[in-house]
């Protein structure tokens, strides 16, 4: 009796991923390289730091200092010496390419903190939360986003803030088109029902940023991009690597089969 399955493609089940919320970064990884997304879910923190390098170390140390500052009530209540102390404790130059990069980035971090503290010592928005992780259900998936701080502005609204130390922070137009910022807004709105919510990108290098509120017709397509990508990920049977310039900085580089 002939085999009825002869010549038919083999049925492969989707890869079972850990049951945890997606982030906008996960979705961006998948769009750039499905293999990067898959490997990044299982890369240890130490390995991640190694391949993100000095700029990631700089940002983490500055962020810890500012989170601590906001826990104390902001620059008016936290002396500069406290910010510098927390920064030095968090700083780890071992991820830098060499001693010159370590010295340069360390100096930049101190400059960012001094300028932030000097510019914000006056009347300061009241910190409501710091280092706040929020989750939301979209479609059949859970998503998570983190605000570095949530502050109560003078207009009474709640502002979810992220501090960036990158040389090229997003423009106002970039933010309006970004699923990452849209997700942060959606999470904050869900977490603080009844409040007038906004999100702010604050560039530590430029000493300012953009505060954004999304209209429904702006937000819906951004969140739809996230949920459609999550739909594809959850049923995917293969996560092929896509090589390119981004491979140089991939936090899953050492595990990638395409680079061996």
């Amino acid at each position: 009796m002939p085999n009825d399955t002869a010549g038919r493609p083999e049925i492969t089940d989707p890869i079972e991923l850990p049951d945890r919320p997606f982030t906008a970064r996960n979705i961006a990884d998948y769009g750039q390289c499905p293999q990067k997304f898959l490997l990044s879910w299982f890369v240890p923190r130490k390995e991640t730091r190694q391949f993100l390098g000095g700029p990631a170390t700089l940002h983490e140390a500055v962020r810890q200092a500012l989170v601590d500052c906001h826990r104390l009530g902001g620059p008016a209540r936290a002396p500069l010496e406290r910010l510098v102390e927390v920064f030095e404790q968090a700083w780890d130059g071992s991820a830098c390419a060499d001693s010159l990069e370590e010295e340069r980035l360390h100096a930049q971090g101190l400059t960012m903190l001094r300028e932030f503290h000097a510019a914000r010592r006056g009347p300061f928005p009241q910190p409501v939360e710091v280092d706040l992780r929020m989750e939301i259900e979209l479609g059949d998936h859970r998503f998570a986003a983190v605000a570095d701080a949530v502050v109560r502005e003078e207009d009474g609204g709640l502002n979810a803030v992220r501090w960036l130390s990158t040389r090229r922070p997003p423009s106002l137009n970039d933010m309006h088109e970004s699923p990452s910022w849209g997700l942060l807004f959606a999470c904050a709105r869900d977490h603080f029902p009844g409040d007038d919510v906004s999100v702010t990108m604050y560039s530590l290098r430029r000493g300012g940023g953009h505060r954004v509120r999304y209209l429904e017709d702006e937000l819906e397509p951004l969140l739809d991009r996230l949920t459609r990508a999550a739909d594809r990920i959850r049923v995917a049977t293969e996560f092929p690597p896509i090589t390119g310039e981004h491979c140089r900085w991939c936090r899953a580089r050492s595990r990638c089969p395409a680079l061996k």
Side-chain angles (χ1 to χ4, degrees), residues 71-91:
R71 282 200 178 103
L72 297 177
R77 297 185 179 181
L80 176 61
E81 292 76 15
R82 170 75 182 222
L83 274 71
V84 172
E85 179 184 0
V86 175
F87 172 80
E88 295 291 2
Q89 291 174 352
W91 173 257

Side-chain angles (χ1 to χ4, degrees), residues 33-166:
C33 172
Q35 183 71 196
K36 176 183 179 181
F37 161 81
L38 183 65
L39 295 177
S40 295
W41 274 51
F42 304 100
V43 172
R45 180 176 177 82
K46 181 179 180 181
E47 189 174 323
T48 297
R49 287 184 63 260
Q50 179 182 356
F51 285 99
L52 290 180
T57 291
L58 167 66
H59 180 74
E60 182 61 24
V62 170
R63 182 181 183 276
Q64 287 193 35
L66 293 179
V67 165
D68 179 77
C69 170
H70 282 65
R71 282 200 178 103
L72 297 177
R77 297 185 179 181
L80 176 61
E81 292 76 15
R82 170 75 182 222
L83 274 71
V84 172
E85 179 184 0
V86 175
F87 172 80
E88 295 291 2
Q89 291 174 352
W91 173 257
D92 180 2
S94 63
C96 296
D98 51 42
S99 59
L100 290 178
E101 183 185 49
E102 180 178 356
E103 182 179 349
R104 175 172 55 84
L105 293 179
H106 182 270
Q108 289 176 5
L110 292 176
T111 297
M112 290 179 199
L113 293 177
R114 292 190 186 103
E115 292 180 349
F116 182 91
H117 191 270
R120 312 281 283 186
R121 281 182 300 181
F124 189 78
Q126 177 188 356
V128 175
E129 297 277 0
V130 293
D131 195 16
L132 177 63
R133 185 180 187 276
M134 300 169 285
E135 291 190 15
I136 191 173
E137 290 190 7
L138 299 173
D140 296 325
H141 312 284
R142 289 181 299 132
F143 287 85
V146 175
D148 294 331
V150 178
V151 298
R152 179 76 65 183
E153 298 286 357
E154 291 184 358
D155 59 15
L158 283 180
N159 187 6
V161 182
R162 279 184 185 157
W163 304 302
L164 298 188
S165 58
T166 55

